[in-house]
Amino acid sequence: MNAHLQPTGSAYFIAKETESVEKHTLSVLVDNEPGTLARVIGLFSGRGYNIDSLTVSETEHEKHLSRITIVTRGTPHVLEQIKHQLERIVPVHRVNDLTVIARELGQERPLERELALIKVRGTGDARVEALRLAEAFHATVIDANTEHFIFEITGRVSKIEQFIAIMGPLGLVEVCRTGVAAMNRGPQGMEASS
């Protein structure tokens, strides 16, 4: 076997060469109990799947249910494997591929938003420009002194990335991002299976 064709330990290697890699957003409804997130993450790391974004929080306090939102990449075959393997984990109630559901509804992507805190150092003209651009992006100043700002910005991932890129030359110091929160349009919700 040629060196460039050797398995990498990743599930992406076994994908059919004709399938293209896609980015999908999965929503996983789970019991809010110790070890659940570790089991979900273990599934990804144990099989060599990558996670681009991960968010988790309890969403139904009375039922002790949490929602995990995972953005990952893979071929359609690999994404289907991920979904089926997630469904087999005991505390998982439901797995929705929000990207597939959005396409079925005639939309390109599900509604996805992210929050970021962005620290920018600057004085003089750079400071004025950072404030002007922050206003154009609807970013809010949540902390400031004479040498820096901390901006809060919410929006699509592409908006956050664009804002970070333009703040780079103006004195970008630090970025903290929450990861993607997502859901589909329409009246249907994500319910736990009985």
Side-chain angles (χ1 to χ4, degrees), residues 150-164:
I150 297 177
F151 296 108
E152 176 184 304
I153 185 169
T154 304
R156 292 185 318 270
V157 172
S158 58
K159 175 185 174 183
I160 304 288
E161 290 174 353
Q162 186 179 13
F163 185 69
I164 292 167

Side-chain angles (χ1 to χ4, degrees), residues 127-186:
R127 184 177 180 85
V128 171
E129 183 67 3
L131 282 170
R132 185 187 70 75
L133 290 167
E135 185 177 340
F137 275 80
H138 303 288
T140 306
V141 176
I142 59 169
D143 185 58
N145 66 24
T146 57
E147 298 174 350
H148 84 278
F149 295 104
I150 297 177
F151 296 108
E152 176 184 304
I153 185 169
T154 304
R156 292 185 318 270
V157 172
S158 58
K159 175 185 174 183
I160 304 288
E161 290 174 353
Q162 186 179 13
F163 185 69
I164 292 167
I166 64 169
M167 286 296 146
L170 297 175
L172 181 68
V173 175
E174 186 177 1
V175 176
C176 180
R177 296 170 72 165
T178 60
V180 172
M183 66 174 48
N184 284 111
R185 292 175 174 86

Side-chain angles (χ1 to χ4, degrees), residues 20-185:
S20 61
V21 174
E22 299 177 357
K23 182 182 198 179
H24 280 235
T25 303
L26 306 176
S27 188
V28 186
L29 194 61
V30 300
D31 287 336
N32 184 10
E33 60 184 42
T36 300
L37 181 59
R39 291 175 75 183
V40 169
I41 299 311
L43 180 145
F44 278 79
S45 64
R47 289 165 178 79
Y49 303 141
N50 191 39
I51 295 175
D52 291 351
S53 173
L54 172 73
T55 59
V56 61
S57 183
E58 186 174 63
T59 55
E60 296 184 46
H61 300 297
E62 300 80 28
K63 295 179 181 177
H64 302 288
L65 294 176
S66 290
R67 184 173 177 147
I68 301 172
T69 304
I70 302 168
V71 179
T72 189
R73 295 173 189 267
T75 63
H77 176 71
V78 167
L79 292 163
E80 202 57 37
Q81 279 185 326
I82 291 170
K83 184 178 173 192
H84 289 307
Q85 290 166 357
L86 282 170
E87 288 169 340
R88 285 195 289 252
I89 296 175
V90 172
V92 171
H93 291 275
R94 187 174 182 104
V95 180
N96 283 348
D97 186 332
L98 299 180
T99 304
V100 169
I101 294 170
R103 288 178 185 161
E104 289 170 355
L105 295 172
Q107 299 144 7
E108 186 177 330
R109 304 258 333 140
L111 290 172
E112 298 176 335
R113 295 295 183 265
E114 185 175 12
L115 169 78
L117 301 178
I118 300 165
K119 186 182 292 186
V120 179
R121 181 183 312 120
T123 57
D125 289 343
R127 184 177 180 85
V128 171
E129 183 67 3
L131 282 170
R132 185 187 70 75
L133 290 167
E135 185 177 340
F137 275 80
H138 303 288
T140 306
V141 176
I142 59 169
D143 185 58
N145 66 24
T146 57
E147 298 174 350
H148 84 278
F149 295 104
I150 297 177
F151 296 108
E152 176 184 304
I153 185 169
T154 304
R156 292 185 318 270
V157 172
S158 58
K159 175 185 174 183
I160 304 288
E161 290 174 353
Q162 186 179 13
F163 185 69
I164 292 167
I166 64 169
M167 286 296 146
L170 297 175
L172 181 68
V173 175
E174 186 177 1
V175 176
C176 180
R177 296 170 72 165
T178 60
V180 172
M183 66 174 48
N184 284 111
R185 292 175 174 86

